[in-house]
Amino acid sequence: MPLPRTARTALLVTGAVLVAGRTRRALRRRIGASPLWPLPALETPVSGQPRSRALRLRVARHDPVADGVVQLRLEGQALPAWEPGAHLDLVLPSGLVRQYSLCGDPDDPTSYTIATRRIGADEGGRGGSREVHEVLREGAEVEVRGPRNRFPLVADAPAYVFVAGGIGITPILPMVRAVEARGGRWRLLYCGRSRASMPFLDELEKAGGERVTVVAEDTDGRPDVAGFLDGAAGEGAAVYVCGPEGLMDAVVAALPESGPPHLERFAPRAPTDGGAFEVELRRSGRTVTVDGDTTVLAAVREELPSIPYSCEQGFCGTCQQRVLEGEIDHRDELLTDGERSDSMLICVSRARGERIVLDL
């Protein structure tokens, strides 16, 4: 029995609304999957996509813990677990993404704790630490991603030797606590510009006693890194270091006969050393030249200014791009071995040869 005209009309209108709704949702998904819209989206979107589930946390505490250093307690519920050495990505209200080591209690499922030193423009700061200090006050909400751990603590070392410079103490602190809790052997060299600028100093000296060597440069001069590390190889110690580049280099130079230390850098090594090469942007039909004193990101942005990026240090993954041809010189601190086979972070990585092709 045929439907009345009014019923047929209602069905047609309902169907049109459903189709239109599906079309709009599909379009939104396509735009979201392709930061360079209207260029065609990648089959598996990469650029600009969060690398892990994002969380919205509340700043429950904002406390100064040393000159120029604040500690933030970020609260939520049933937070992902973490282990010493892990870090978070903070998506700041301005859109900047910055990475901070977790320095609280891994057994607390309701909060993450981080600390950051304010870095001025004269020190190369680009505004992220200032925003943390001035904007993320108690009660504010912030998006975080992670945690991720590229600096894990080995569990079975006969001894541990820790070296930290300034705010580099943040990933080291939970390591010290963990080793101390299980009765392990450890010692720490903690360096800073002054005692007043060194966070968590009282806790470490109280817990470690003579196992903690503190060098404040304004009163003690430069640290004797080689002297402190003497005997570490013979102990079979796992050596962990986080701090400025000069401190990293001193530790590596002091351990020529043993295995390499475990390092976490404040930033990757300079990405702009090397020869010039060409980058073909396959979908755009353009080719750009990357000189030895610039980055792939900077060169590509001349042609595609809307390309997503954030940290410009190889940490956050926002600028990850698929590589179709060419050999990659990876200089990031983020990608897995699998990801490195066919993608790169264009803010720091380069081509090994004269040409590379990106799916852009």
Side-chain angles (χ1 to χ4, degrees):
M1 178 177 180
L3 289 171
R5 179 185 299 273
T6 54
R8 289 199 304 271
T9 302
L11 284 175
L12 288 172
V13 170
T14 301
V17 169
L18 290 174
V19 170
R22 286 196 296 269
T23 301
R24 285 194 297 270
R25 288 194 293 273
L27 184 60
R28 283 197 297 269
R29 286 196 299 270
R30 183 169 177 78
I31 294 173
S34 180
L36 298 177
W37 176 268
L39 290 176
L42 301 174
E43 292 179 7
T44 304
V46 174
S47 300
Q49 304 303 309
R51 301 180 59 80
S52 58
R53 182 169 63 94
L55 303 169
R56 295 291 299 183
L57 303 184
R58 183 179 65 88
V59 179
R61 296 287 301 271
H62 180 286
D63 300 314
V65 290
D67 286 353
V69 179
V70 296
Q71 176 178 280
L72 271 61
R73 177 183 171 90
L74 310 174
E75 291 188 344
Q77 294 295 324
L79 300 180
W82 64 278
E83 295 181 348
H87 71 270
L88 290 177
D89 294 342
L90 258 67
V91 183
L92 300 174
S94 66
L96 292 174
V97 180
R98 294 294 183 264
Q99 289 69 40
Y100 297 106
S101 296
L102 288 162
C103 57
D105 180 3
D107 292 329
D108 180 1
T110 64
S111 74
Y112 293 140
T113 300
I114 61 171
T116 179
R117 181 173 75 88
R118 182 167 182 154
I119 303 174
D122 58 332
E123 300 176 89
R126 294 175 294 123
S129 64
R130 178 185 58 78
E131 190 171 352
V132 171
H133 278 242
E134 297 180 2
V135 178
L136 294 187
R137 296 292 184 173
E138 292 181 8
E141 286 195 348
V142 63
E143 180 180 314
V144 304
R145 301 171 187 163
R148 295 195 303 269
N149 200 340
R150 302 285 176 169
F151 193 43
L153 180 68
V154 297
D156 55 354
Y160 297 84
V161 174
F162 301 109
V163 179
I167 199 64
I169 193 63
T170 50
I172 299 295
L173 180 63
M175 293 183 180
V176 169
R177 291 171 178 157
V179 174
E180 176 71 5
R182 62 178 181 242
R185 295 169 52 207
W186 64 273
R187 53 196 175 96
L188 165 69
L189 173 62
Y190 186 10
C191 314
R193 290 177 292 183
S194 66
R195 289 183 65 90
S197 71
M198 300 166 72
F200 314 116
L201 186 55
D202 289 345
E203 175 187 345
L204 288 163
E205 288 187 315
K206 183 178 180 180
E210 294 183 354
R211 293 174 294 177
V212 177
T213 299
V214 177
V215 178
E217 292 186 12
D218 62 343
T219 58
D220 305 322
R222 307 285 290 182
D224 179 9
V225 174
F228 178 80
L229 293 173
D230 186 39
E235 297 177 86
V239 179
Y240 284 80
V241 55
C242 181
E245 200 69 34
L247 184 64
M248 300 278 195
D249 293 340
V251 171
V252 172
L255 297 171
E257 303 301 326
S258 62
H262 302 269
L263 304 176
E264 180 159 82
R265 303 182 184 277
F266 287 165
R269 293 186 181 274
T272 56
D273 56 321
F277 56 93
E278 288 190 343
V279 177
E280 179 187 339
L281 310 177
R282 177 64 54 86
R283 284 184 287 147
S284 303
R286 311 176 197 180
T287 298
V288 299
T289 298
V290 181
D291 295 323
D293 60 352
T294 191
T295 64
V296 176
L297 174 62
V300 171
R301 289 189 68 226
E302 293 292 324
E303 295 291 331
L304 302 173
S306 64
I307 193 168
Y309 71 98
S310 182
C311 75
E312 298 183 79
Q313 298 181 53
F315 288 134
C316 73
T318 304
C319 69
Q320 184 177 350
Q321 296 294 340
R322 180 168 295 170
V323 178
L324 301 179
E325 298 176 22
E327 188 176 0
I328 310 164
D329 178 9
H330 290 287
R331 304 190 183 191
D332 64 271
E333 302 287 336
L334 180 67
L335 298 185
T336 65
D337 289 343
E339 291 170 323
R340 287 169 184 258
S341 65
D342 64 355
S343 66
M344 66 187 289
L345 299 189
I346 63 173
C347 66
V348 291
S349 297
R350 302 178 69 81
R352 289 194 181 277
E354 296 180 354
R355 183 173 174 273
I356 201 165
V357 181
L358 300 180
D359 193 2
L360 281 173

